[in-house]
Amino acid sequence: MQKENVEKETKTLEKDKTKVVRNKDKARSRTNNNKKMYEELVVEVKSVVKVTQGGRQRRFSATVVVGDKKGTVGIGIGKAGEVPDAIKKAIQAANKNVIKITLIDGRTIQHEAIGKSGAAKVLLKPAPAGAGLIAGGAVRAVLELAGVHDISSKSLGSRTKLNMATATINALKSIKTVSEVAKLRGKEESEILG
């Protein structure tokens, strides 16, 4: 009687083990299929403190830029108790805030643009072929991941990394193509180009 019970228990345990192994294999195959759509670049990681009645709460804030170097770019912020968790949250936020920009010959922007965010102001100017990416810090990170190769930029206000990156995104958002301007004015492209 006891031998039969022991045999039954061992059989059920073996079945459970095979189910667990199969589920693990499925999970592995799901994670292998999830290839990264965008390249990621951590612009800034800083420690932030919240003062409460019980004392100070230290957390980490991460700013991440994502892009495919083909005209798609996004920025995200994440906060967590540990740095890797903050970066992971920032990447998720950046993937949700992706914008698409049109590039001339896949290398530069259509026209001059100014972007603002807080006290930060960023000026972007198209540049001739071979000029390179003339930008620094957070602006360079955003433009590299957007796929811009020839551009000139200037920071005009505050130099906070988050605000500079957001101002660059705002400047890129404000750029319009000739066809978009023609549609807004109700004219043909040839009339606008002169």
Side-chain angles (χ1 to χ4, degrees), residues 133 149 171-172 177:
L133 188 60
H149 299 295
L172 292 172
T177 61

Side-chain angles (χ1 to χ4, degrees), residues 80-102:
E82 300 294 326
V83 174
D85 296 336
I87 291 171
K88 197 181 291 182
K89 283 183 182 180
I91 290 167
Q92 289 171 352
N95 284 329
K96 288 178 187 172
N97 297 326
V98 169
I99 62 161
K100 182 85 175 139
I101 60 166
T102 52

Side-chain angles (χ1 to χ4, degrees), residues 102-104 108-112 126 175-178:
T102 52
L103 301 171
I104 298 174
T108 191
I109 57 175
Q110 306 280 334
H111 56 81
E112 192 175 303
I175 294 170
K176 291 181 173 64
T177 61
V178 177

Side-chain angles (χ1 to χ4, degrees), residues 29-152:
S29 66
R30 267 189 244 122
T31 54
N32 290 341
N33 292 339
N34 291 342
K35 291 181 182 174
K36 290 183 181 177
M37 290 170 41
Y38 304 115
E39 288 184 40
E40 302 143 5
L41 190 71
V42 178
V43 174
E44 181 182 35
V45 176
K46 63 182 179 181
S47 172
V48 289
V49 178
K50 177 183 174 184
V51 180
T52 60
Q53 193 173 0
R56 296 179 181 181
Q57 286 185 341
R58 171 166 274 136
R59 295 164 79 195
F60 293 94
S61 174
T63 307
V64 174
V65 178
V66 298
D68 64 354
K69 295 191 175 182
K70 294 175 187 169
T72 307
V73 68
I75 186 169
I77 308 156
K79 285 183 188 173
E82 300 294 326
V83 174
D85 296 336
I87 291 171
K88 197 181 291 182
K89 283 183 182 180
I91 290 167
Q92 289 171 352
N95 284 329
K96 288 178 187 172
N97 297 326
V98 169
I99 62 161
K100 182 85 175 139
I101 60 166
T102 52
L103 301 171
I104 298 174
D105 303 328
R107 61 171 190 82
T108 191
I109 57 175
Q110 306 280 334
H111 56 81
E112 192 175 303
I114 295 177
K116 292 181 185 179
S117 176
K121 242 189 203 181
V122 173
L123 168 68
L124 301 177
K125 284 185 176 183
L133 188 60
I134 303 166
V139 179
R140 186 179 196 92
V142 172
L143 294 173
E144 269 182 6
L145 289 177
V148 181
H149 299 295
D150 300 308
I151 197 166
S152 179

